[in-house]
Amino acid sequence: MINIKVDTSRVTRNLDGWINDLEKMVANGVANAALAIEAEAKRNVPSNTGNLRRSIQTKTEGMSAVVSSNLEYAPYLENGTGIYSPDGRKDVPWTYYDLATGNFYKTSGVPAAHYLQNAVNVVAPMLGEYIKQELMK
């Protein structure tokens, strides 16, 4: 009987390095796509003061990314309110008092702007291209 022993430790080390490099490239591609979503959302967000536009930011961790705003009213502009929102109030119209203007207003809600979802819809189909660009570097 013939025994052959092959030392694969060097190959294994190389594979581990390649896997780490591949994960970094995919993470970079995801981060670049998320930044493109952020830019698209900022281009399309409704704006009176610019606060919402400035609040949109991207956070990445590994191969994941989140594009969001920390402003309390951001979800209401994204998803709409009242009759325009699937979860909005239906007892319309309602009246509210605006401290800033000192006036009362009657409303049935605000239509959804979908500035963030629309940005995802534009950029998501190109995610593979963002990753491919990193792999080709």
Side-chain angles (χ1 to χ4, degrees):
M1 177 195 266
I2 300 174
N3 288 327
I4 300 174
K5 190 172 185 177
V6 178
D7 181 8
T8 60
S9 61
R10 194 167 73 185
V11 172
T12 302
R13 278 193 308 274
N14 285 340
L15 284 175
D16 288 343
W18 293 335
I19 290 170
N20 288 337
D21 290 346
L22 181 59
E23 287 175 351
K24 288 176 187 172
M25 288 183 262
V26 171
N28 287 342
V30 168
N32 289 338
L35 290 170
I37 291 169
E38 176 186 326
E40 184 71 17
K42 285 180 174 182
R43 258 192 302 281
N44 296 317
V45 69
S47 179
N48 288 337
T49 64
N51 289 339
L52 180 55
R53 180 176 288 119
R54 285 187 296 277
S55 75
I56 298 170
Q57 58 187 336
T58 299
K59 293 181 182 174
T60 60
E61 185 175 325
M63 290 188 273
S64 297
V66 175
V67 180
S68 64
S69 167
N70 62 354
L71 293 181
E72 181 181 350
Y73 61 86
Y76 300 116
L77 284 174
E78 174 67 21
N79 301 313
T81 63
I83 63 173
Y84 303 102
S85 171
D87 300 324
R89 67 192 287 178
K90 304 305 179 209
D91 55 331
V92 293
W94 71 89
T95 303
Y96 69 95
Y97 179 73
D98 185 350
L99 290 172
T101 65
N103 294 320
F104 285 92
Y105 295 94
K106 185 183 271 188
T107 184
S108 295
V110 176
H114 297 302
Y115 59 91
L116 194 53
Q117 184 59 56
N118 290 341
V120 170
N121 293 346
V122 167
V123 177
M126 298 180 288
L127 176 59
E129 285 301 313
Y130 283 99
I131 294 171
K132 183 178 173 183
Q133 287 173 5
E134 291 298 315
L135 295 173
M136 302 303 286
K137 286 183 178 179

